[in-house]
Amino acid sequence: MEAKSQELEEVTIEVSPFKEKEESPVSMRTLTVSEIEKNPGANRDISRVIQAFPGVASSVSFRNDVIVRGGGPAENSFYLDGIEIPNINHFATQGASGGPVGIINVDFIREVDLYSGAFPANLGGAVSSVLDLQQVNGNKEDFSARATLGASDLAVTLNGPISDNTSLIFSARRSYLQFLFDIIGLPFLPVYNDFQFKTKTRIDKKNELSFIGLGAIDNFSLNTGLEDPDEEQQYILRETPVNEQWNYTVGAIYRHYGEKGYTSIYLSRNMLNNSAYKYPENDESKSKNLDLTSQEIENKLRVEQNERRNGYKLIYGGGIEYAKFNNELFQKVFLPAGIEDTLDYSSELTMFKWEAFAQVSKKYLDEKLTLSLGTRMDATDYSSSLSN
């Protein structure tokens, strides 16, 4: 055999810097990992990067509240690999999305899509914005470890194969902020811990199964060992309750690939436990004058079909959710004229929710015009009107 060389003409490949989706062509912005890590002052925190976007406002500097186009922090939805998570911050404000420090480990993130309007029909529960985070898959060939030292925490990430067709990526993080607060003499000591993992199993060429998890343990204790506290420190120690909070989300994603598209099944559970208590003069030998426990629990199942037929992109499916809310409160209330009263009650609320959605999109005029039509229905058995 004789070798021959042939000179080809120049080949130019051009890629648009703007990612577009037919179902939301103008109201979506995509973030890459490099953008998150290089954002000045964000400290690898996704929420702080988003706050710098046009149309997104922030509250105070020590909070990660996301306010999109004038909406409230409780009007945002967050999805991790298609599974909804209640919040993405430590020391979260219950019922909202804010907090001082983010939970998501950027080492897991492949890209982030922020929808500030025209949400896809399959992503529900949002009024202001939807944050759709896609995670990387674990390394199937080599094992690696990475340690990250942040401004207030230390994280360790493990990545590698656990079998011939299964990969795992896992991280854990713990703060050392409490030591800094103690050194400078602050009367409160926050401590946060979190974990995150993802496994992916390639069953065969057409089927795969993934498990994901995300959780946080947050403790807010009082620095009662302060020497000679001033009046402001004494007031904080006397009035501020001890707060303990933990939350988690675990889920499974099954995906089947067909000739025209793929079917996804999402099964998940999330829970938030928020508690606060206070002893008079911080003396634990006395009876509590405040004891609060509040819980939110959600179990969700969603089925989606994504396919392309004759130039049309179709997304349709439905889901069901079982939610439960518990609240227990004991509090001594001191009224004017030296009158003392007691609040002591507990409540429980359970409900079923269900949803159905469909969206069709198509490009016309040599892909210069994109049309998309979506519809969504949500209901709950909370009341007769909401179930209609």
Side-chain angles (χ1 to χ4, degrees), residues 2-14:
E2 296 181 0
K4 290 185 178 181
S5 62
Q6 184 176 359
E7 185 176 350
L8 301 177
E9 297 180 358
E10 180 182 0
V11 177
T12 303
I13 300 176
E14 296 182 357

Side-chain angles (χ1 to χ4, degrees), residues 121-193:
N122 60 321
L123 303 180
V127 178
S128 292
S129 72
V130 171
L131 193 66
D132 187 14
L133 303 103
Q134 299 298 322
Q135 300 185 103
V136 299
N137 297 321
N139 194 325
K140 294 182 178 180
E141 299 178 357
D142 299 317
F143 176 82
S144 63
R146 177 179 179 179
T148 304
L149 180 63
S152 59
D153 51 54
L154 174 66
V156 177
T157 302
L158 306 177
N159 188 359
I162 56 178
S163 70
D164 293 339
N165 59 347
T166 302
S167 62
L168 167 68
I169 180 170
F170 171 84
S171 77
R173 182 171 58 166
R174 180 174 176 83
S175 70
Y176 55 82
L177 199 62
Q178 66 275 17
F179 301 114
L180 302 178
F181 278 34
D182 190 23
I183 292 173
I184 62 179
L186 293 180
F188 46 86
L189 304 174
V191 181
Y192 60 84
N193 310 268

Side-chain angles (χ1 to χ4, degrees), residues 4 15 20 30 38 50 143 153 155 212-213 238 269 348 372:
K4 290 185 178 181
V15 179
E20 292 184 358
T30 299
K38 295 177 181 178
I50 294 172
F143 176 82
D153 51 54
I212 70 168
R238 184 176 66 251
R269 173 184 171 91
E348 179 179 305
S372 182

Side-chain angles (χ1 to χ4, degrees), residues 140 164-167 200-210 255 257:
K140 294 182 178 180
D164 293 339
N165 59 347
T166 302
S167 62
K200 184 175 182 178
T201 302
R202 189 76 173 181
I203 301 172
D204 53 38
K205 292 182 179 180
K206 292 188 176 182
N207 299 278
E208 64 184 28
L209 178 64
S210 300
R255 186 158 290 167
Y257 295 93

Side-chain angles (χ1 to χ4, degrees), residues 18-30 53-54 69 114-120 359 361 363 368-372:
F18 302 102
K19 176 183 175 182
E20 292 184 358
K21 289 186 177 181
E22 292 97 323
E23 58 268 23
S24 188
V26 296
S27 60
M28 187 195 74
R29 168 73 185 273
T30 299
F53 284 3
R69 303 189 187 279
L114 173 66
Y115 299 88
S116 58
F119 316 127
Q359 188 148 0
S361 308
K363 293 185 176 181
K368 295 180 180 179
L369 173 66
T370 301
L371 298 180
S372 182

Side-chain angles (χ1 to χ4, degrees), residues 284-301:
E284 296 187 6
S285 63
K286 300 180 180 180
S287 300
K288 294 178 182 178
N289 53 20
L290 172 65
D291 192 2
L292 167 68
T293 301
S294 182
Q295 296 180 333
E296 299 179 6
I297 307 167
E298 295 175 329
N299 303 279
K300 302 180 181 182
L301 173 65

